Amino acid sequence: MVTEKRQATVRATSECVCWALDRETFHRVMVVGGRQETVERDKLLGKVPSLSGLSGFDRFNLSESLETREFKDGQNIVEAGSTVRELFIVRQGRCEAFKP
């Protein structure tokens, strides 16, 4: 992270132009950006019927743990007969369930 001591030296090996971002701005952007996405996820989870029994606090905590996975058209998300240890919630797009 930004506050850790550097483990290596970085040296330009040609003429170089770099962008710099101070620690406070970096932290603020990461926290605010992450929080906004979590709020959007929380709103989506609020529309999932099987999660309607969760408290707002629990739903918000769950939304912080979600990770985005992208699938191409025609790609299997779950295969019949496989053991799945994850819950998939469609954020965008459409999918279908069928028995082969």
Side-chain angles (χ1 to χ4, degrees):
M1 289 304 275
V2 175
T3 58
E4 295 176 357
K5 290 186 177 184
R6 303 299 117 201
Q7 299 296 314
T9 299
V10 178
R11 176 180 294 138
T13 56
S14 69
E15 292 295 317
C16 203
V17 176
C18 297
W19 286 335
L21 183 62
D22 65 87
R23 180 174 49 200
E24 291 78 21
T25 303
F26 174 79
H27 179 70
R28 182 173 39 81
V29 168
M30 294 304 289
V31 168
V32 171
R35 204 168 273 167
Q36 182 178 2
E37 186 173 338
T38 300
V39 169
E40 290 173 12
R41 289 176 176 181
D42 181 55
K43 286 180 184 177
L44 178 63
L45 292 178
K47 297 176 183 179
V48 177
S50 60
L51 302 177
S52 63
L54 292 176
S55 70
F57 179 77
D58 288 337
R59 196 176 58 243
F60 191 81
N61 284 335
L62 180 62
S63 68
E64 289 182 309
S65 302
L66 295 174
E67 83 179 40
T68 300
R69 302 257 181 95
E70 295 183 13
F71 299 91
K72 295 179 182 173
D73 186 10
Q75 182 179 1
N76 289 342
I77 298 170
V78 175
E79 293 189 22
S82 65
T83 302
V84 179
R85 296 184 177 178
E86 298 167 301
L87 168 68
F88 291 93
I89 300 169
V90 180
R91 177 182 177 193
Q92 179 182 340
R94 294 176 28 187
C95 61
E96 64 181 354
F98 62 93
K99 291 185 179 184

